[in-house]
Amino acid sequence: MDYIERGTKSYKQTALAFFAAGFNTFAILYVVQPILPDLTEYYGVTPTAASLSLSVTTFTLAISMLIFGSISEAVGRKNIMIVSMLTASILCILTAFSPTFGSLIVMRALQGVALAGLPSIAMAYLGEEIHPRSLPGAMGLYISGNALGAVFGRVLAGVAAGLWGWQFGLIGVGVVSLIATFIFWYALSPSKHFVKREFNVKDLFKSLTEHLKNPLLLILFLMGFLLLGTNVSLYNYVSFVLIEDFNISQTIVSWVYMIFLVGVLSSMISGNLVYRYGKVMMLYTGIIVAVAGLIIVLIPSVWTIVAGLILFTFGFFIAHSLTSGWVGNIAHSNKAQASSLYLFFYYTGSSVGGTLAGVFWMQSGWLGVSLMNISFLILCLTLFMVFLYLLRRRIWYFK
């Protein structure tokens, strides 16, 4: 069937293309997180309002992802992904010139729509074009690009903001993302195994509603909502704490986001641990470790905050990878739509949690944010217990 196999030139080019794509998407998505204090000061808005610059992007991304995947079934994969990356990169640069906070929010909302064209399609393309035995490696490089892009976007934006101003951070990330877009366009081959299907809104809606009627899937979706809501709210406000309470410069604070590289390590380690101890035990462990990290960040010291962030991040990535992986096991059919719904709840959780934490920040500061996050994870742990109870009683859902 002429699939792309590991070791070939086509495989290397495809892997490079999707590494660049993941880098582009997540660098732009999270670029504003380290500069939230700058936006607060520059536009004269509250930290809660400033957090909307990330929340609106993840929310429009969540909604748009439900649509773009189905559109690509009718019109093809590569062109949508290229337009998505190019548009998001240009909008990222233009955002630096936003005259008002309202215009910045509009630009960030549009970026969410543009960015949705890649993650909703990337895995479909890889699944169609890469040989099954070579697929895990290609997926791994794409996910690595996601992680490195998320770290790079945060660090570059924060360092540039500290040295020259937050506008240069956005411009820098936008320019690098443009380069990644051209690498993607040049390296990726057109689809060979894509089969065009008619876009049917009714069938899409029916598939989505059927998944929502499955209590096991709904619990997994809500767990994803709570997990990313906790992650984003924690990292949204840690920069405020380190800058305001410990008088650390923006340039130095930005390097805190390197902690996200712990996610790559935890993903590698958890694979072996799951094989040894099982998914249930490791998901429990991931959530409990994350809660322990949230407790430690309450100790008023820079080093304990950093240690707590590392512990939380390690546990978060274990919990998220296992929760998202379980969606594919539980879904009877239309697994792509089930995954899209999980990502919808996941990124909606980012929007809700990131903004809701601002309310707690205004009322109770870092303590309020941390207690909100601990409550989120305790609820997540409770939902997982309910999930296991239902799974035992309705075993036919598990396939």
Side-chain angles (χ1 to χ4, degrees):
M1 289 288 290
D2 195 26
Y3 287 108
I4 298 172
E5 296 204 48
R6 187 168 186 167
T8 63
K9 182 180 178 181
S10 295
Y11 177 87
K12 293 175 182 177
Q13 288 183 329
T14 303
L16 173 63
F18 278 97
F19 179 86
F23 191 95
N24 167 289
T25 302
F26 284 84
I28 293 173
L29 180 61
Y30 290 109
V31 66
V32 296
Q33 197 168 49
I35 63 172
L36 292 179
D38 299 272
L39 298 181
T40 299
E41 181 179 354
Y42 185 85
Y43 290 108
V45 297
T46 65
T48 306
S51 70
L52 290 172
S53 60
L54 177 57
S55 296
V56 297
T57 311
T58 53
F59 184 65
T60 54
L61 170 73
I63 294 174
S64 302
M65 283 182 65
L66 293 175
I67 302 169
F68 270 110
S70 296
I71 292 176
S72 74
E73 299 283 355
V75 301
R77 314 289 193 200
K78 182 177 178 179
N79 288 340
I80 291 180
M81 290 189 286
I82 292 173
V83 172
S84 169
M85 294 172 65
L86 181 62
T87 303
S89 301
I90 293 171
L91 287 171
C92 183
I93 295 172
L94 293 178
T95 303
F97 303 97
S98 302
T100 65
F101 184 68
S103 61
L104 183 141
I105 291 298
V106 171
M107 295 293 283
R108 288 290 294 168
L110 292 174
Q111 284 170 57
V113 176
L115 288 171
L118 194 127
S120 60
I121 298 171
M123 291 190 179
Y125 178 97
L126 290 171
E128 290 168 350
E129 305 300 326
I130 304 291
H131 194 283
R133 63 172 165 259
S134 303
L135 186 58
M139 286 287 193
L141 280 171
Y142 170 58
I143 293 170
S144 297
N146 293 348
L148 290 176
V151 172
F152 175 84
R154 289 171 165 110
V155 173
L156 174 60
V159 171
L163 295 175
W164 306 296
W166 63 269
Q167 293 91 340
F168 285 92
L170 292 180
I171 292 170
V173 170
V175 170
V176 174
S177 295
L178 275 176
I179 295 171
T181 301
F182 287 114
I183 291 173
F184 181 84
W185 170 77
Y186 175 78
L188 191 68
S189 302
S191 299
K192 293 181 180 178
H193 302 98
F194 170 73
V195 178
K196 186 175 181 179
R197 300 180 181 89
E198 183 180 350
F199 177 56
N200 190 312
V201 177
K202 183 178 179 181
D203 288 345
L204 172 63
F205 182 76
K206 181 180 178 182
S207 172
L208 295 177
T209 52
E210 284 179 355
H211 288 316
L212 290 173
K213 292 177 183 177
N214 184 331
L216 294 176
L217 285 176
L218 185 58
I219 289 173
L220 294 174
F221 298 156
L222 292 173
M223 287 174 63
F225 175 98
L226 293 167
L227 286 169
L228 192 61
T230 303
N231 180 298
V232 169
S233 60
L234 183 69
Y235 279 97
N236 271 2
Y237 292 95
V238 70
S239 54
F240 285 97
V241 173
L242 295 176
I243 292 172
E244 295 177 7
D245 294 359
F246 298 96
N247 199 30
I248 300 175
S249 71
Q250 172 78 334
T251 304
I252 295 175
V253 168
S254 302
W255 291 99
V256 167
Y257 295 96
M258 290 290 288
I259 291 172
F260 275 96
L261 293 177
V262 169
V264 178
L265 176 64
S266 69
S267 298
M268 294 168 58
I269 294 174
S270 66
N272 293 327
L273 293 177
V274 166
Y275 180 76
R276 185 172 181 178
Y277 297 107
K279 290 192 294 185
V280 172
M281 179 61 71
M282 287 311 301
L283 208 157
Y284 271 130
T285 301
I287 297 174
I288 292 169
V289 167
V291 171
L294 292 176
I295 294 172
I296 291 173
V297 299
L298 287 171
I299 302 172
S301 160
V302 173
W303 296 112
T304 53
I305 289 175
V306 170
L309 288 173
I310 291 171
L311 203 59
F312 166 82
T313 305
F314 190 87
F316 164 80
F317 275 97
I318 291 175
H320 163 53
S321 62
L322 290 174
T323 303
S324 59
W326 229 316
V327 171
N329 294 136
I330 298 299
H332 294 274
S333 58
N334 296 315
K335 294 179 183 288
Q337 279 81 10
S339 296
S340 294
L341 267 177
Y342 176 80
L343 291 174
F344 169 78
F345 277 86
Y346 184 67
Y347 286 112
T348 301
S350 166
S351 303
V352 175
T355 302
L356 180 62
V359 177
F360 286 89
W361 171 263
M362 297 298 289
Q363 296 295 321
S364 308
W366 185 235
L367 175 64
V369 173
S370 298
L371 291 179
M372 185 204 85
N373 287 332
I374 290 171
S375 300
F376 269 31
L377 289 188
I378 291 175
L379 179 56
C380 187
L381 195 62
T382 304
L383 284 171
F384 184 53
M385 293 177 183
V386 175
F387 171 83
L388 293 176
Y389 173 77
L390 292 177
L391 188 61
R392 295 187 187 102
R393 289 179 61 87
R394 307 177 72 172
I395 196 67
W396 58 84
Y397 275 124
F398 186 70
K399 294 189 174 184

